[in-house]
């Protein structure tokens, strides 16, 4: 039997699947480190299958988040923003306040808060930069 498990990245794989490394240290997978190679391979294969499921669910969740956020942008445009850039600024101000003292973050933080891919960061960056410039003036 060819073994594909990797003891060096086992903890990383566990974290990807469960969101914490403790499952592999003290949890139900703690026996991995004392298992035979065949047992390790079985655990590894199961984790890889679970990782595929987690990645598929995360991709679906990201698509839902993007769709919700894009709908929010369109709704904000209809409500008076007039364009995407203004809508994004209004949304950020609505979430974080219109004074920089309420914005202790960079553009990537907004992606995190809205559960959006970091490709949105390039759209948030000018708004955040402008807000910081106003605060400094």
């Amino acid at each position: 039997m060819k073994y594909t498990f990797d003891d060096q990245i086992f903890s990383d794989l566990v974290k990807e699947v469960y969101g914490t490394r403790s499952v592999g240290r003290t949890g139900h997978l703690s026996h991995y480190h004392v298992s035979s190679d065949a047992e390790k391979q079985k655990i590894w294969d199961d984790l890889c299958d679970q990782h595929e499921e987690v990645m598929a669910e995360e991709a679906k969740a990201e698509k839902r988040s993007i769709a919700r956020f894009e709908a929010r942008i369109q709704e904000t445009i209809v409500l008076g923003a007039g364009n995407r850039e203004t809508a994004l600024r209004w949304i950020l101000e609505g979430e974080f306040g219109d004074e920089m003292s309420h914005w202790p973050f960079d553009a990537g933080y907004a992606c995190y808060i809205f559960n959006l891919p970091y490709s949105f960061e390039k759209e948030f960056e000018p708004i955040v930069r402008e807000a910081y410039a106003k605060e400094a003036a």
Side-chain angles (χ1 to χ4, degrees), residues 20-86:
T20 180
R21 295 183 195 282
S22 64
V23 174
R25 291 186 189 136
T26 59
H28 73 279
L29 295 177
S30 60
H31 65 283
Y32 172 86
H33 299 288
V34 295
S35 295
S36 69
D37 285 352
E39 291 167 335
K40 283 183 175 182
Q41 188 63 52
K42 171 75 170 100
I43 295 167
W44 182 265
D45 291 343
D46 289 345
L47 273 174
C48 287
D49 291 343
Q50 290 173 37
H51 186 247
E52 291 293 324
E53 292 171 15
V54 166
M55 288 186 347
E57 183 53 43
E58 286 175 354
K60 289 178 192 173
E62 183 177 270
K63 285 181 182 180
R64 288 189 303 267
S65 293
I66 291 169
R68 276 193 307 269
F69 194 73
E70 289 293 343
R72 184 173 180 187
I73 291 169
Q74 292 308 309
E75 179 182 12
T76 305
I77 290 170
V78 168
L79 290 172
N83 61 53
R84 185 177 181 87
E85 183 179 345
T86 302

Side-chain angles (χ1 to χ4, degrees), residues 75-127:
E75 179 182 12
T76 305
I77 290 170
V78 168
L79 290 172
N83 61 53
R84 185 177 181 87
E85 183 179 345
T86 302
L88 288 170
R89 184 171 41 80
W90 287 9
I91 291 168
L92 291 178
E93 288 174 353
E95 289 291 326
F96 305 111
D98 60 356
E99 295 180 22
M100 280 312 303
S101 60
H102 300 287
W103 289 30
F105 65 89
D106 62 17
Y109 181 70
C111 295
Y112 169 76
I113 291 296
F114 296 122
N115 197 28
L116 297 169
Y118 285 88
S119 58
F120 276 80
E121 194 171 13
K122 67 182 180 285
E123 289 190 86
F124 297 147
E125 185 63 39
I127 299 164

